[in-house]
Amino acid sequence: MSLQDPDGTGLGAPPPRPARVAVAGAGEASELELERAEALGRCLALEGAVVLCGGRGGVMEAVSRGAARAGGTVVGILPGPDSNGANPWVTIPLPTDLGEARNTLVARCGQALLAVGGSWGTLSEIALARKLHISVAVVGEPSFPELGLRAFSDPAEAARWAVRCAAGDAGA
């Protein structure tokens, strides 16, 4: 017996999976970084991407807010053992109880990674993503200019680039 739609034509192909874009940034960020992160979250949601982040405050909360307000999905990969630390905009909180080691999951689970500001934790996510051959770029002024990463001043342009990377566009 096969499953069928009400019209008897069969279920058809499964829907395409959305792009997964990781966003890294500091828990304590400047107002400009927070504005950029919120705009980035909105743009990623409008592009149909799922936003992955550390799920807590600062850039993570701002990108989550932007995505959620635009109707997007936000996965917060949390360092603690429960969901209590998630910011209120996270759609799917994933408690890991891994502490800072959860940065590996943030970097690995995205098909592209965008950084907004940041410090050592952000640098660890950038390094892990690059080690895994995941495309990385920054939005705004690069916190680590010596890395030579692609930088976008426009969050919408960064979101489009990340979604193209997630789709496997090598020229992105």
Side-chain angles (χ1 to χ4, degrees):
M1 179 169 133
S2 65
L3 297 176
Q4 296 184 353
D5 289 332
D7 64 5
T9 60
L11 293 177
R17 290 191 172 128
R20 298 182 318 273
V21 178
V23 177
E28 293 182 25
S30 71
E31 283 302 313
L32 181 57
E33 289 168 339
L34 296 176
E35 289 170 17
R36 284 181 178 143
E38 185 166 352
L40 178 61
R42 181 175 53 256
C43 294
L44 286 167
L46 293 174
E47 289 287 331
V50 171
V51 173
L52 301 154
C53 68
R56 299 191 66 192
V59 164
M60 297 168 283
E61 183 168 1
V63 75
S64 299
R65 182 173 48 249
R69 285 182 171 166
T73 300
V74 179
V75 177
I77 302 173
L78 302 165
D82 57 47
S83 300
N84 293 336
N87 73 64
W89 304 99
V90 168
T91 312
I92 302 169
L94 297 178
T96 66
D97 203 18
L98 293 174
E100 295 303 320
R102 69 79 148 81
N103 290 359
T104 302
L105 296 175
V106 173
R108 179 65 187 99
C109 291
Q111 295 167 293
L113 184 137
L114 294 168
V116 181
S119 188
W120 293 109
T122 304
L123 182 59
S124 75
E125 290 165 321
I126 290 170
L128 289 164
R130 294 299 299 142
K131 174 80 173 159
L132 296 166
H133 307 288
I134 294 169
S135 298
V136 177
V138 297
V139 180
E141 295 299 315
S143 294
F144 314 101
E146 62 278 6
L147 297 179
L149 298 173
R150 176 177 257 169
F152 293 97
S153 58
D154 178 15
E157 186 180 352
R160 286 189 297 273
W161 174 84
V163 169
R164 285 194 314 270
C165 289
D169 182 354

